[in-house]
Amino acid sequence: MRLSLPIRTDKIRLRDREQFLTRLAVLMKEGYLLPVALNLLLPMHTSKLEVALVGITAILKEGGNAAEILKFLGFKEHVLFPVEIAESHGRLAESIDSIGNSFARTERVQKKLKNILIYPVSLLIFTSILFLFFRTSYVPNLTEMMNSMQSGEETSGVPAYLLSLPDFFIAIFASVALSVFVFGQLLKQQAVERQITWLLSIPIIRRFMKLYWSHLLARELGTLLHSGISMQESLDLLQRQNYHKTIQFMARMSHEELMMGQSFSRSLEHVAFVSKDMPAFVQHGEMTGYLGKELILYSEVLMEQIEQQTQQLLRIIQPSFFIIIAICIIGAYLAILMPMYNLVHTI
């Protein structure tokens, strides 16, 4: 059930969200009800305790669920989606614990990316400022001196375009960032089928998205099946959730083929945006009768693959920035040494 959340002027911001989810899972495993666990944890994670408690109370009075409460506390769809599904199979505490671990992985990757980028990006910006000062103060004087020492057609100044290399690279990065922002805004306005088509048309993103979507589908469907819920009912639950449109679309496609007598593994063969080995893996689970457990295992394997590919990508980013900075410095040397070399030959 979708609720209209309490109107609030202050946005609830939780501190240490990873710790919040982990502690919430521990308390619920110990037998605490969700409202009681939240009352215990919120004083440690927000300075707007009264606003948070009033909002949570209003949600509970309207019959709201855990997903609605976490949405009120500022969590995004990648957290709300598995929480809503978890309330269907009754393993909310285990799901929140798993979400907390995934949250920790994401935080580690983001922190590592920040640490990798902060030094080379700062160095590139500093280099650009230094070269700007060099072009406006030093180059005109050097060019004037060389013009006074040379004459006629032999006159050649400092090739200032080489000193504009940092500006060129920064302009490229700014253009890419703007393009990504515009693409993201346009993507949100499209139907889910077109969103999938657009994302799969980008070579770098295509494999990540296939792995990520397959991971989500395998994790949530596997958990539902492992809890004793039938395949048709599980797919129906995934269709009715509203937090992840792509999984909703995938579940609808598979459910339609299931109603036509096809197996789940066969239906996945017609889905172009799942990992290529997923149909074979699902078929093995159907044959052994342990599809739920094997899907959960498969989702963990996919998450490991996502982490490995992310680490490989991060290892490329920092050296690329240093190569760009090296090109800028070499350009600066050439900008000064080439005219000097020409001047020596004219003396």
Side-chain angles (χ1 to χ4, degrees):
M1 179 175 61
R2 313 301 301 163
L3 300 174
S4 56
L5 295 180
I7 298 174
R8 66 189 193 277
T9 56
D10 296 326
K11 186 176 181 180
I12 305 301
R13 293 184 180 276
L14 297 182
R15 297 184 296 268
D16 302 325
R17 295 189 171 196
E18 170 197 339
Q19 292 294 328
F20 174 81
L21 292 172
T22 302
R23 291 166 179 167
L24 181 60
V26 170
L27 289 175
M28 294 185 68
K29 287 179 180 179
E30 293 295 328
Y32 287 86
L33 296 176
L34 179 62
V36 178
L38 290 172
N39 284 331
L40 291 173
L41 290 176
L42 285 174
M44 295 183 288
H45 292 275
T46 180
S47 58
K48 300 177 181 178
L49 179 60
E50 186 176 349
V51 176
L53 292 177
V54 170
I56 291 172
T57 302
I59 292 172
L60 291 173
K61 285 182 178 179
E62 294 181 20
N65 53 29
E68 295 290 349
I69 292 174
L70 292 179
K71 182 177 181 180
F72 172 71
L73 295 176
F75 286 96
K76 303 299 182 183
E77 281 72 14
H78 65 281
V79 172
L80 305 178
F81 166 56
V83 168
E84 185 177 46
I85 298 302
E87 292 183 301
S88 301
H89 56 66
R91 297 186 176 186
L92 183 58
E94 291 84 351
S95 293
I96 292 178
D97 188 30
S98 176
I99 294 165
N101 293 332
S102 299
F103 213 88
R105 291 172 183 164
T106 305
E107 290 290 319
R108 285 197 299 269
V109 172
Q110 290 178 348
K111 185 176 181 180
K112 186 170 183 179
L113 178 61
K114 181 180 178 181
N115 293 336
I116 286 175
L117 290 180
I118 189 168
Y119 177 67
V121 170
S122 301
L123 186 58
L124 182 61
I125 294 174
F126 174 76
T127 304
S128 180
I129 296 172
L130 181 63
F131 280 27
L132 177 62
F133 172 78
F134 203 69
R135 291 198 308 269
T136 56
S137 300
Y138 179 71
V139 170
N141 295 332
L142 181 61
T143 301
E144 183 179 354
M145 180 189 71
M146 295 180 64
N147 289 339
S148 65
M149 297 178 66
Q150 294 176 328
S151 61
E153 297 179 355
E154 296 178 349
T155 300
S156 62
V158 177
Y161 64 89
L162 291 174
L163 298 175
S164 300
L165 285 175
D167 299 340
F168 171 72
F169 287 119
I170 289 177
I172 290 178
F173 295 143
S175 300
V176 171
L178 180 61
S179 300
V180 170
F181 174 77
V182 172
F183 177 79
Q185 295 302 311
L186 291 175
L187 188 68
K188 293 178 182 178
Q189 301 173 10
Q190 307 303 315
V192 62
E193 296 91 339
R194 182 164 293 183
Q195 289 183 14
I196 294 170
T197 302
W198 284 16
L199 289 172
L200 294 182
S201 65
I202 305 174
I204 299 177
I205 296 179
R206 181 190 301 123
R207 177 159 176 77
F208 278 97
M209 297 311 303
K210 285 185 176 183
L211 290 174
Y212 177 64
W213 291 331
S214 301
H215 159 71
L216 285 182
L217 181 63
R219 185 186 67 185
E220 302 308 327
L221 182 59
T223 306
L224 289 168
L225 294 173
H226 187 57
S227 302
I229 301 175
S230 67
M231 174 64 76
Q232 290 192 4
E233 188 177 354
S234 298
L235 292 174
D236 185 57
L237 287 170
L238 292 176
Q239 286 184 81
R240 288 191 280 112
Q241 59 83 26
N242 293 299
Y243 288 116
H244 204 294
K245 299 297 183 182
T246 304
I247 300 300
Q248 186 183 64
F249 178 68
M250 295 168 70
R252 184 167 66 249
M253 291 180 61
S254 297
H255 188 263
E256 289 173 356
E257 297 218 13
L258 222 64
M259 298 300 292
M260 296 172 62
Q262 298 287 352
S263 64
F264 180 57
S265 58
R266 182 61 61 87
S267 69
L268 289 177
E269 293 177 358
H270 304 150
V271 180
F273 44 91
V274 297
S275 183
K276 61 182 180 180
D277 59 347
M278 188 173 184
F281 201 97
V282 170
Q283 186 178 25
H284 181 271
E286 291 172 338
M287 294 173 60
T288 59
Y290 296 102
L291 181 57
K293 289 183 179 180
E294 294 196 15
L295 280 175
I296 295 173
L297 175 63
Y298 182 63
S299 72
E300 294 174 356
V301 172
L302 291 178
M303 178 53 68
E304 291 177 0
Q305 292 182 17
I306 293 172
E307 289 181 349
Q308 290 174 0
Q309 295 194 17
T310 302
Q311 295 296 334
Q312 292 175 359
L313 185 61
L314 292 179
R315 283 195 290 267
I316 296 174
I317 291 176
Q318 193 175 56
S320 300
F321 270 93
F322 284 123
I323 290 173
I324 290 172
I325 294 169
I327 292 173
C328 295
I329 294 173
I330 292 172
Y333 274 107
L334 292 176
I336 303 303
L337 293 180
M338 286 173 59
M340 292 292 188
Y341 179 79
N342 293 333
L343 181 60
V344 169
H345 280 269
T346 61
I347 297 177

